[in-house]
Amino acid sequence: MAAVVLAIRRFRDGRPEVVGLVLLVLVTAFFAGAAPRLVDRVGTDALRGEVSAATDFQSNLQLIQERRYEANRNGDPLQPVAAEGDTLESEIPPTVRRLIDDQSYLVDSIRWRIRNPTPDPSFARLRVQPGALDRIRLVAGRLPTGKPATIPVDPTTTPPTEEIPVIEAALSVESLRAIGSQVGDRIVLRPDTSDILVGRSGSTLDAAIDIVGAFEVTNEADRWWLDDTSLSRPGIRTLGGDSRLIDVTPLISSDAYAAMLTATIAYPNRYTWRYYVAVDRFESGDLPRLVPELRRLDGVFPSSAGTTINEGTSLRSGLLPLLTTADAHWRSSLAVLTVVGLGPAAVGIAALAMVGSLVMRRRLPALALSRARGASTGQLIAEVALEGLVLSLPAALLAIALVSAVLPAGPSQLSILASVAAATVTTIVLLAAAAPTAMALPHGPGQQTRIAGRPSARRILIEGLIVFLGVAGVILLRERGAAAASSTAVLGGVDPFVAAVPALAGIAASIVAVRLLPAPIAVLSRLAAIRRDLVPVLALRRVTRGGAGRAVLVVLLVTSTVGAFAASILVYLDGAAEAVAWQEVGAPYRLSQPDPLPKTLDPLKLPGVEAAAGLDAIASFVTTRYLPLQVIAIDAADYERLVAGTPADPHLPAEMLASSFDGSIPVIVSPELTTSDRGVAVGGTLSLIIGGRLKIDFTVARVVESFPSIAPGQPFVVISRQQLNSLANVGQFRDTTSYLLRASDAAWPDLRAALRVAAPVATLQSRAERAASIRSSPIVRSLVAGVAASSVVAFAYAALAVAAGLALVAAARSVEVAHLRALGLTRREVFALNIVEHGPTILVAAVIGTALGLGLFALLRDALGLTKLIGTSVDVNVGIGVGQLSVVFLSIVIIVAVGIGLGATLQRAATPVAAVRRGFE
């Protein structure tokens, strides 16, 4: 304890510096301890956001059986079905089962063909679904009951030779309208032999339903339905052309389950148990156990093939691919956050080194005196280490307590280790600052140990090693980034090498700048000596002679590197969302459907549409090799005018825009058609089989990596539709399956409303909506928040450290400044002295750091896998703008300005008279 008290007393003379260092350690330990818990919280929020953004069908579990459960004769008829659902839930692995907060079940019968006259061929599948009656609203009639009834097959015979069951049912208003029925109608049903539950050799026994009620679903978005709209509206199956098959789902009472079993006595039913997961039970830390258990569940309950009757239990869920994708995205996001997060860590280490070295300056004379009086190197090192622990350990313990109070949840052990590491770094910094004096040879009485001078060979060697590692890392990462782009382009986790290189490169660049800066400054100092005023020459000599300027340069250069790198990521994510939306949609809007759009649809008459271009996708392959590809026939001239000046502008060749052509039709192709041994070069002839039977020759006009509206990696050929239709033998390809539209973003609601009437089956994609969905995706939001927070922490840390460092230096020079003021230096000149001294530091740090940050991002972009994080493999080239660079530079200027202002204030506190008297007392 006496040693601790003595260590505290030793720093009594430098109380302001010691207080500043303790506060810096406290802040550093707090941020270090909070980082793991913040990352865990961000990861959990991102995971929950991914699950919430998915459809209910994707994010929940359904187990399906195709068999028969006999009705319970005493009590609830569906009790055996409910009991089986509880049994199946017990077989779900524990980590997955912990997510489940509710369950339901339903029973679907075979598919019946409606024998009544209907506008289109119609079919019905009876459903028993407990709980559904509480989620519908009757519009007409009443709710169905389980009252048994039969009717004769042939009412003309007496007595009836055969009877069929009649079951009361309710249908949605839309379903009744689709089949042309109403409440009070009796619908006769016959098993549909095309249904796999029936089979072609099944019985033809009929059944009937009495429509006793018409209803509407109160809330289709309710999670309870799992995106199943069978009850709320009819399903439409198309066989091509204008033919349609209508599927409806009559809802029957649970008490009618036994009657349904009687009606389907020769067939199995489909039983579905639904297990609902609670979003707030997902934790990012559970993913390593959750994903393997879901894979095991998928093995226990395999997915149904859909072509045969399931003999066991099958699983229907999108939770495994959803969590697998979310896990991969979060790992990549975590890698990016780690790369960016090490920037503030590097700034923190530089800040601790700067302030710690300034604090140790007051201790160096005392250490030198102890060394001269016979203290060994080990004794001095132990003494400094004890002092470092006295300063940093209490601050670290207080930081751990604050982190636990502010962020109670998260990985506590990792948080404690991070806070203790910050205290350890402080002690190491103090030891490094005291080492030269502690290891110096002792001198005789009355002599002083040399404290300052040229850097030692050991220090130069260490600095050289750091610079070498930084340069080697950047060179290796350039090669690694290119390799990653050709493979997965996503880091599978936090790669320490990738994560450390940006911070290491920033430190290496700062070391080089510190060593090279004195040379040009010395030249400027000699030039300034020609002038008669004192401010420039004195300020520049301060720079060349070291001091705090070098430490400030290191902090600011690393900070500007981190800021430029982070700004590049933010700009890229924002610009990539826009570029990907243009690439995927191909225009402000895209209207499409699998079958040809109605010929009566005129896109230019839709609300807000200013221009339109038709597009058809045609299956084809190359005649010289079987290479399946996508042929896009587009209204070339219309499309060029529609997207001119936008990111989707393909700059079509002039020969494709002409109404006529010489020889064969010019086309744009993807690289896959030109790179192989049998590839076709630009200007060569490409023979394609169109529509499976027509062979047509084309001329390759241009090769492009991608084309708007075509999925990346898909081999393609783009043809002018007008030129293709000019050929007499391709008239069957003149139908339009898609329209690319130009309209304002505000036209989105009106367009959707108009298309519900004009083309109800078609889908409408919006470029603005797609870009917004990318920007608002949970992973991207978490990444943007993390990168922005890291940048703010780095700049705030730099501001604190630089302000403290410059203030400490200014306070140490207060006597010198007071002497200069006694010689006639004005207060304005004192302020100018600080500005001229630190001006080169600001300029060098801002320019080199910003350039280094931009260059590192360009090299690391592919290795970071940002394109996968935004959900596409499209190569997006987005650069940082002048505005972002201005923010980085302005932040550096503000940081130094605060430090200079604080230092000038402290220097003014020293009076010239007191400084002169101090020299004689």
Side-chain angles (χ1 to χ4, degrees):
M1 180 61 68
V4 174
V5 174
L6 182 62
I8 296 175
R9 289 178 178 177
R10 289 194 185 106
F11 286 101
R12 182 178 299 173
D13 186 45
R15 190 174 302 167
E17 296 93 328
V18 172
V19 171
L21 180 60
V22 171
L23 289 177
L24 195 61
V25 173
L26 176 63
V27 173
T28 305
F30 176 80
F31 282 133
R37 302 193 180 205
L38 285 174
V39 168
D40 182 74
R41 174 173 293 184
V42 169
T44 297
D45 291 343
L47 175 61
R48 293 175 180 177
E50 289 279 315
V51 176
S52 298
T55 64
D56 292 329
F57 174 83
Q58 289 178 304
S59 57
N60 294 279
L61 302 170
Q62 298 184 81
L63 296 178
I64 302 170
Q65 291 181 1
E66 292 171 349
R67 53 172 297 179
R68 292 175 64 88
Y69 285 95
E70 295 302 322
N72 182 25
R73 301 295 180 181
N74 302 314
D76 182 9
L78 293 168
Q79 189 276 331
V81 182
E84 178 65 13
D86 294 334
T87 302
L88 291 175
E89 182 177 354
S90 66
E91 299 180 25
I92 297 176
T95 306
V96 181
R97 189 168 61 246
R98 189 182 64 83
L99 302 175
I100 299 173
D101 68 342
D102 196 7
Q103 67 164 285
S104 69
Y105 62 90
L106 58 93
V107 185
D108 284 325
S109 74
I110 62 172
R111 187 169 62 221
W112 306 81
R113 184 182 183 93
I114 296 177
R115 300 186 64 185
N116 299 42
T118 55
D120 294 290
S122 300
F123 303 83
R125 197 184 292 272
L126 305 184
R127 172 171 293 184
V128 178
Q129 190 169 8
L133 297 179
D134 300 328
R135 293 170 172 83
I136 62 175
R137 179 178 60 254
L138 275 177
V139 177
R142 60 178 176 83
L143 295 176
T145 66
K147 180 180 179 181
T150 59
I151 60 172
V153 175
D154 187 359
T156 62
T157 63
T158 304
T161 57
E162 187 177 2
E163 293 184 335
I164 61 175
V166 179
I167 303 174
E168 290 185 355
L171 272 167
S172 70
V173 174
E174 291 189 33
S175 297
L176 286 173
R177 187 183 303 117
I179 62 176
S181 296
Q182 59 185 354
V183 175
D185 288 350
R186 172 170 289 171
I187 298 177
V188 180
L189 308 172
R190 172 163 292 177
D192 177 19
T193 56
S194 65
D195 182 23
I196 62 171
L197 295 179
V198 176
R200 303 212 174 260
S201 60
S203 170
T204 58
L205 181 64
D206 290 349
I209 56 174
D210 284 339
I211 307 301
V212 299
F215 63 84
E216 292 178 345
V217 173
T218 54
N219 182 15
E220 289 188 18
D222 188 348
R223 179 187 67 158
W224 191 83
W225 297 108
L226 289 192
D227 300 323
D228 182 4
T229 60
S230 301
L231 285 178
S232 60
R233 63 171 65 96
I236 300 177
R237 289 178 286 156
T238 61
L239 302 177
D242 296 329
S243 63
R244 302 192 311 168
L245 304 179
I246 307 299
D247 291 318
V248 298
T249 304
L251 178 64
I252 65 176
S253 170
S254 299
D255 295 333
Y257 175 60
M260 188 177 78
L261 290 177
T262 302
T264 60
I265 192 169
Y267 313 109
N269 295 310
R270 181 173 289 121
Y271 298 84
T272 303
W273 292 270
R274 293 174 173 176
Y275 302 95
Y276 305 91
V277 301
V279 175
D280 58 359
R281 295 185 183 183
F282 283 91
E283 300 288 342
S284 61
D286 293 338
L287 277 177
R289 298 187 303 274
L290 187 57
V291 171
E293 287 195 0
L294 282 171
R295 289 197 177 99
R296 187 162 58 251
L297 180 66
D298 194 41
V300 174
F301 303 125
S303 299
S304 172
T307 57
T308 59
I309 295 179
N310 297 323
E311 296 183 356
T313 304
S314 61
L315 172 67
R316 182 180 297 170
S317 174
L319 191 58
L320 176 58
L322 174 64
L323 293 186
T324 302
T325 302
D327 186 33
H329 284 174
W330 172 241
R331 288 176 182 273
S332 298
S333 180
L334 184 60
V336 178
L337 289 176
T338 303
V339 172
V340 177
L342 283 180
V347 174
I349 293 174
L352 285 174
M354 181 181 70
V355 178
S357 62
L358 293 176
V359 170
M360 284 303 300
R361 284 187 179 182
R362 289 183 177 270
R363 289 283 294 121
L364 291 182
L367 292 175
L369 181 60
S370 299
R371 183 67 170 146
R373 291 179 177 179
S376 66
T377 300
Q379 290 175 326
L380 295 181
I381 294 296
E383 180 181 333
V384 174
L386 179 62
E387 294 170 355
L389 292 176
V390 168
L391 290 176
S392 60
L393 194 56
L397 295 177
L398 179 59
I400 293 172
L402 291 175
V403 169
S404 300
V406 176
L407 300 169
S412 57
Q413 293 183 350
L414 188 58
S415 180
I416 293 173
L417 289 176
S419 297
V420 173
T424 305
V425 168
T426 303
T427 304
I428 294 174
V429 166
L430 297 179
L431 288 174
T437 300
M439 292 185 294
L441 294 176
H443 290 257
Q447 295 179 333
Q448 290 184 345
T449 302
R450 183 174 178 174
I451 299 174
R454 294 180 179 274
S456 64
R458 182 180 302 171
R459 180 172 181 176
I460 293 177
L461 181 62
I462 294 175
E463 291 180 353
L465 178 61
I466 294 175
V467 173
F468 172 77
L469 291 177
V471 174
V474 171
I475 294 174
L476 291 177
L477 277 180
R478 182 175 183 178
E479 299 299 326
R480 176 168 183 164
S486 62
S487 54
T488 62
V490 177
L491 295 173
V494 181
D495 190 319
F497 185 68
V498 174
V501 164
L504 185 63
I507 295 175
S510 64
I511 291 174
V512 174
V514 164
R515 294 304 173 198
L516 297 181
L517 184 61
I521 296 299
V523 176
L524 294 177
S525 178
R526 293 189 183 94
L527 295 176
I530 302 175
R531 297 169 54 92
R532 301 185 61 181
D533 51 346
L534 180 63
V535 172
V537 63
L538 182 59
L540 294 175
R541 285 181 179 178
R542 282 181 176 179
V543 177
T544 57
R545 293 175 183 177
R550 295 179 180 178
V552 170
L553 175 61
V554 173
V555 173
L556 292 182
L557 197 149
V558 175
T559 303
S560 59
T561 302
V562 171
F565 188 83
S568 298
I569 293 177
L570 296 178
V571 172
Y572 178 88
L573 291 175
D574 185 73
E578 197 70 23
V580 169
W582 278 105
Q583 169 64 32
E584 292 183 356
V585 180
Y589 294 96
R590 180 175 179 175
L591 173 64
S592 60
Q593 69 179 32
D595 298 320
L597 290 163
K599 296 184 182 300
T600 56
L601 176 64
D602 185 354
L604 295 177
K605 292 183 179 180
L606 294 173
V609 174
E610 303 168 357
L615 180 147
D616 294 325
I618 306 170
S620 178
F621 63 90
V622 184
T623 57
T624 56
R625 52 180 172 149
Y626 186 76
L627 177 65
L629 51 87
Q630 190 172 15
V631 175
I632 297 296
I634 191 170
D635 295 336
D638 292 339
Y639 184 62
E640 183 71 20
R641 288 191 295 269
L642 189 150
V643 296
T646 69
D649 190 349
H651 303 287
L652 298 175
E655 53 267 36
M656 286 187 63
L657 302 177
S659 57
S660 61
F661 55 92
D662 296 330
S664 57
I665 298 176
V667 294
I668 295 176
V669 302
S670 60
E672 292 85 352
L673 296 170
T674 62
T675 53
S676 68
D677 295 337
R678 289 177 287 179
V680 180
V682 175
T685 299
L686 179 67
S687 297
L688 301 179
I689 299 296
I690 301 293
R693 61 186 184 84
L694 294 177
K695 178 182 177 182
I696 304 176
D697 292 335
F698 301 94
T699 300
V700 177
R702 182 180 298 172
V703 180
V704 296
E705 294 287 340
S706 62
F707 193 84
S709 76
I710 299 178
Q714 170 70 46
F716 62 85
V717 173
V718 180
I719 307 170
S720 169
R721 195 161 69 133
Q722 286 78 7
Q723 294 178 357
L724 181 63
N725 287 341
S726 65
L727 301 178
N729 57 347
V730 293
Q732 64 269 33
F733 300 118
R734 294 178 182 178
D735 292 329
T736 301
T737 57
S738 299
Y739 279 114
L740 301 171
L741 310 174
R742 185 176 69 210
S744 65
D745 296 342
W748 169 250
D750 295 335
L751 269 175
R752 284 193 303 175
L755 287 171
R756 288 193 188 102
V757 178
V761 183
T763 58
L764 180 67
Q765 295 175 280
S766 167
R767 185 270 319 158
E769 292 292 322
R770 176 60 180 137
S773 68
I774 295 175
R775 294 189 181 101
S776 61
S777 66
I779 289 294
V780 173
R781 284 205 317 267
S782 300
L783 183 58
V784 169
V787 172
S790 297
S791 303
V792 171
V793 169
F795 278 96
Y797 216 122
L800 176 64
V802 171
L806 294 181
L808 292 176
V809 172
R813 292 178 177 174
S814 59
V815 175
E816 175 189 349
V817 172
H819 286 168
L820 293 174
R821 287 181 57 195
L823 296 176
L825 198 69
T826 65
R827 290 191 174 186
R828 179 177 297 180
E829 289 175 328
V830 171
F831 191 72
L833 183 66
N834 288 319
I835 293 178
V836 175
E837 177 183 358
H838 299 293
T841 301
I842 299 174
L843 184 62
V844 171
V847 173
I848 297 180
T850 301
L852 182 60
L854 297 178
L856 287 173
F857 176 75
L859 292 175
L860 285 175
R861 190 191 68 179
D862 292 333
L864 294 175
L866 293 175
T867 54
K868 291 293 184 181
L869 288 176
I870 59 177
T872 182
S873 58
V874 176
D875 186 20
V876 180
N877 294 315
V878 179
I880 190 170
V882 177
Q884 289 77 19
L885 294 177
S886 301
V887 170
V888 175
F889 184 78
L890 183 61
S891 301
I892 297 296
V893 172
I894 292 175
I895 289 173
V896 178
V898 171
I900 291 176
L902 185 59
T905 302
L906 293 176
Q907 287 177 345
R908 291 174 184 173
T911 60
V913 176
V916 173
R917 289 178 58 188
R918 181 176 298 180
F920 295 97
E921 292 176 352

